[in-house]
Amino acid sequence: MIKSQNHTSGISITMFTTLVAIYFSVVINVPFYKDLQSIFSSLEEVKTGFVISIPLFLFFSLNIVFSLFSWPKLTKPFFIVLVLLSSIVCYAEYNYGVMFDVDMITNIVETDTGEARAYLSFYALIWVLAIGVTPAIFMMRCTIQPAGKMWLPLLRDKLISITVSLIALAIIFVFYYQDYASVGRNNSYLRKLIIPTQYVYSISGYVKERFFSAPIPYVKLGDDAKQSELAIDQSLDKPSVFIFVVGETARTQNYQANGYDRETNPYTALKNVISFNDVSSCGTATAISVPCMFSNLSHHTFDRDIADHQDNLLDILKRAGIDVLWKENDGGDKGVAKNVRYIEIDRHRKDEFCNGSTCYDMALVEGMNKDIDEMKGNRVIFLHLIGSHGPTYFQRYPKDMAYFQPDCARSDIENCEKENIINSYDNTIRYTDYVLSNVIETLKEKNDQYNTAMMYVSDHGESLGENGVYLHGLPYRFAPDYQKKVPLMVWLSDGFKQAKSINASCLREKAMETGHYSHDNIFHSLLGVMDIETRVYQPDNDIFSSCRMQ
């Protein structure tokens, strides 16, 4: 990209900045051009001059921005780091359709090392070496003219460069403003693909929110929470045990129980499970959806900072005297279980469920009999699955559970055939179904001692290459339904239905309704079904409420 100079004078900072701007506008922003090409192919007519002007628009814009950061002693280290980070962002955007907004930065920061390793591949390494490390080496070897005491010439050159760029942008706008306005209005997500401005802006936003925002006072919710007298009386004779399973990356479109034409739910199909057909997630990434579903905030009002500084569902259940346990197999609870008993599966162990780096979700079911018996009174156990977490779908199920073949046994799924990717993903859904059936069987074995029930809901969905998009985490308003529609299943023992006066036929009818259910219902449904009396409970948001015979 930038050639090392043989003479001692080197190139000027202004020239260095110009060359970097050219590289970013032509090479690093290839994901932006990829989406533009898709947009243009759907239009009846596109002006050739407008198309040619786009890389020029990017160059002149980036040249102005980069000029503000190119100063003696700062230029090289700043742009070396920038190009290395940008090469990673470029890879993720181009191959997976990822957009780096503040929520995505939050998700990245809260991703543990085990999850991060799943994204590593030889293909990714070659990509970053080619467009990140190689130009970074050229930058290091490049000789830049020392400014010395000649600040006026440097400022003059910068002013000229910025002025020329501004004039060029003005000319482009004179000729093609309507075209830019039309494409921009109809495809506002495009600005989120521009590298490096979007991800740098998002990182700064994350840092500001996390470290420089005014302290938020902690708010105690449900301080009046208590179990109903009936629930307490029942716990003395036959306590209730509710298993809440938090799924990972499961989308409802691939659930046989919701109309999918493949056998992805053969195990729970035999368990009289009630499946809700149309449920929306709160977010498109775990870092948002998990805190949101256990918060009393809705999808439209959710703010992670606020949620982190107030009581959530688990806190209120505990305050009401419910014995609460969280079991973790997905790298973290995102702060929701900080005040309750917590067990994390040791992924470093090596046995039938774990290989030293990751564990199958059956490891959560292991020892569940003991977990239940060691608790007291009415009890709720949360199981956080690794579920269908990609891109290494093939690591989420044992080889003898690879029902759909051929599958995609690699992390760079973009290099697999789409059918193979879907096979791998469907295998994860099928394996999760197997895990849920084992949870149900464990609860059935406890029916003489406890009134038992299970609810399962995924945190968000997943894209499997539709319109060139993979994985998840797109900004909610741009994300397809594949990332926002999630499965929700309920299983109730006869004892639980009787103790809670739940009409299962009514609930099954409710489950067929569309446009009514989302993660917003979780908080109030668990408070309701566990008979917690508190002013923060809203019966209208409780999926069981209208089907309980008073």
Side-chain angles (χ1 to χ4, degrees):
M1 170 189 141
I2 300 174
K3 295 183 178 180
S4 177
Q5 304 296 305
N6 294 322
H7 51 84
T8 57
S9 61
I11 63 174
S12 68
I13 287 179
T14 304
M15 179 57 69
F16 183 93
T17 305
T18 299
L19 293 174
V20 172
I22 292 173
Y23 184 68
F24 269 80
S25 60
V26 174
V27 178
I28 293 292
N29 273 288
V30 64
F32 175 75
Y33 297 126
K34 177 185 177 184
D35 269 58
L36 270 181
Q37 191 276 331
S38 177
I39 292 169
F40 289 161
S41 64
S42 65
L43 300 178
E44 294 183 1
E45 182 181 357
V46 182
K47 297 176 183 176
T48 302
F50 171 52
V51 174
I52 295 173
S53 77
I54 292 174
L56 294 175
F57 175 83
L58 271 185
F59 163 68
F60 290 120
S61 299
L62 291 175
N63 189 52
I64 293 171
V65 174
F66 288 171
S67 294
L68 302 177
F69 294 91
S70 54
W71 300 97
K73 297 184 179 180
L74 174 65
T75 301
K76 272 193 177 184
F78 175 80
F79 285 107
I80 286 172
V81 171
L82 192 68
V83 78
L84 289 173
L85 288 176
S86 297
S87 66
I88 298 171
V89 172
C90 177
Y91 171 80
E93 285 190 5
Y94 186 86
N95 292 288
Y96 298 134
V98 174
M99 291 184 189
F100 287 82
D101 61 354
V102 175
D103 288 345
M104 176 56 71
I105 299 300
T106 302
N107 204 45
I108 292 171
V109 171
E110 296 188 3
T111 296
D112 70 354
T113 54
E115 291 180 358
R117 281 196 296 269
Y119 293 91
L120 297 178
S121 67
F122 181 73
Y123 179 64
L125 179 63
I126 294 299
W127 185 290
V128 174
L129 283 173
I131 71 169
V133 175
T134 300
I137 292 173
F138 276 111
M139 287 182 180
M140 284 189 287
R141 295 180 60 191
C142 178
T143 302
I144 298 178
Q145 293 174 357
K149 297 181 180 180
M150 306 297 289
W151 282 91
L152 286 179
L154 174 60
L155 293 174
R156 179 201 62 205
D157 291 347
K158 279 182 174 290
L159 182 60
I160 292 173
S161 179
I162 292 174
T163 301
V164 170
S165 296
L166 287 171
I167 293 172
L169 289 174
I171 293 172
I172 291 173
F173 272 10
V174 167
F175 285 96
Y176 301 111
Y177 171 78
Q178 291 297 335
D179 300 276
Y180 278 94
S182 175
V183 172
R185 278 196 301 267
N186 295 326
N187 306 277
S188 57
Y189 74 92
L190 281 173
R191 61 182 175 82
K192 292 181 178 291
L193 295 178
I194 298 176
I195 306 172
T197 53
Q198 176 60 31
Y199 82 82
V200 171
Y201 174 78
S202 298
I203 291 174
S204 65
Y206 173 82
V207 171
K208 180 181 178 182
E209 285 182 8
R210 284 285 181 260
F211 304 108
F212 296 100
S213 297
I216 300 175
Y218 194 88
V219 177
K220 189 176 181 180
L221 298 177
D223 54 357
D224 61 335
K226 62 179 182 178
Q227 298 179 62
S228 70
E229 291 185 9
L230 177 60
I232 293 174
D233 289 343
Q234 290 174 339
S235 71
L236 299 176
D237 178 49
K238 193 176 183 182
S240 293
V241 175
F242 196 101
I243 307 295
F244 188 94
V245 185
V246 184
E248 169 65 56
T249 320
R251 69 187 202 181
T252 194
Q253 292 88 348
N254 288 57
Y255 266 65
Q256 180 186 5
N258 294 334
Y260 190 46
D261 61 0
R262 305 182 86 181
E263 293 184 2
T264 52
N265 301 122
Y267 304 101
T268 58
L270 305 174
K271 307 296 183 187
N272 201 28
V273 167
I274 299 172
S275 181
F276 284 70
N277 290 344
D278 184 27
V279 180
S280 298
S281 66
C282 185
T284 61
T286 307
I288 300 300
S289 284
V290 169
C292 183
M293 75 167 73
F294 295 118
S295 166
N296 75 325
L297 301 172
S298 69
H299 161 68
H300 297 292
T301 63
F302 181 76
D303 181 280
R304 178 67 188 273
D305 282 342
I306 294 175
D308 286 345
H309 290 85
Q310 67 179 29
D311 289 337
N312 59 40
L313 171 66
L314 282 69
D315 300 319
I316 297 173
L317 289 172
K318 180 181 177 182
R319 181 171 299 123
I322 301 291
D323 201 348
V324 180
L325 169 64
W326 182 283
K327 295 187 73 174
E328 177 63 47
N329 190 39
D330 193 30
D333 61 292
K334 309 308 177 186
V336 301
K338 58 184 177 294
N339 296 319
V340 301
R341 185 176 168 224
Y342 184 95
I343 297 174
E344 184 166 13
I345 302 300
D346 180 11
R347 68 181 65 178
H348 300 296
R349 73 189 210 196
K350 293 185 178 180
D351 52 37
E352 61 176 316
F353 297 133
C354 305
N355 62 13
S357 61
T358 187
C359 294
Y360 302 127
D361 283 322
M362 275 301 295
L364 288 167
V365 185
E366 181 186 39
M368 199 165 76
N369 268 311
K370 182 181 178 183
D371 294 330
I372 293 172
D373 291 339
E374 288 180 346
M375 299 171 76
K376 297 179 180 179
N378 292 321
R379 52 209 80 177
V380 177
I381 298 177
F382 295 88
L383 306 179
H384 191 191
L385 309 183
I386 197 168
S388 303
H389 199 295
T392 51
Y393 304 123
F394 70 99
Q395 292 183 353
R396 308 298 168 232
Y397 51 89
K399 289 184 179 179
D400 62 356
M401 297 290 285
Y403 181 81
F404 300 105
Q405 289 290 333
D407 57 359
C408 174
R410 54 195 298 175
S411 59
D412 52 337
I413 58 174
E414 67 277 9
N415 291 316
C416 284
E417 294 293 331
K418 187 174 181 180
E419 292 77 9
N420 297 1
I421 297 172
I422 294 173
N423 285 341
S424 290
Y425 184 80
D426 284 349
N427 285 335
T428 68
I429 300 296
R430 189 181 172 97
Y431 183 68
T432 293
D433 197 64
Y434 173 74
V435 172
L436 295 178
S437 72
N438 275 269
V439 171
I440 293 171
E441 283 303 311
T442 301
L443 291 176
K444 282 184 175 181
E445 294 171 4
K446 296 288 187 180
N447 280 345
D448 291 339
Q449 300 169 263
Y450 307 100
N451 296 316
T452 60
M454 183 202 75
M455 177 184 285
Y456 164 77
V457 67
S458 184
D459 57 353
H460 54 77
E462 186 84 321
S463 288
L464 299 175
E466 297 87 5
N467 298 316
V469 178
Y470 293 88
L471 305 179
H472 55 267
L474 284 179
Y476 201 88
R477 65 193 180 110
F478 299 126
D481 278 350
Y482 295 116
Q483 296 187 28
K484 296 187 291 190
K485 295 295 183 179
V486 294
L488 189 156
M489 291 180 164
V490 173
W491 175 84
L492 308 171
S493 68
D494 290 338
F496 192 90
K497 286 184 286 189
Q498 182 177 354
K500 304 296 181 180
S501 300
I502 296 175
N503 184 325
S505 297
C506 168
L507 194 63
R508 198 174 295 278
E509 289 179 9
K510 293 288 184 181
M512 300 299 293
E513 296 179 0
T514 60
H516 295 296
Y517 302 111
S518 71
H519 281 165
D520 293 352
N521 297 109
I522 300 302
F523 179 90
H524 303 283
S525 296
L526 262 72
L527 288 180
V529 81
M530 295 305 294
D531 291 317
I532 307 301
E533 297 175 349
T534 172
R535 58 180 172 270
V536 298
Y537 167 67
Q538 299 173 7
D540 289 345
N541 282 324
D542 177 356
I543 64 174
F544 300 103
S545 178
S546 61
C547 292
R548 297 183 69 175
M549 298 170 285
Q550 302 301 326

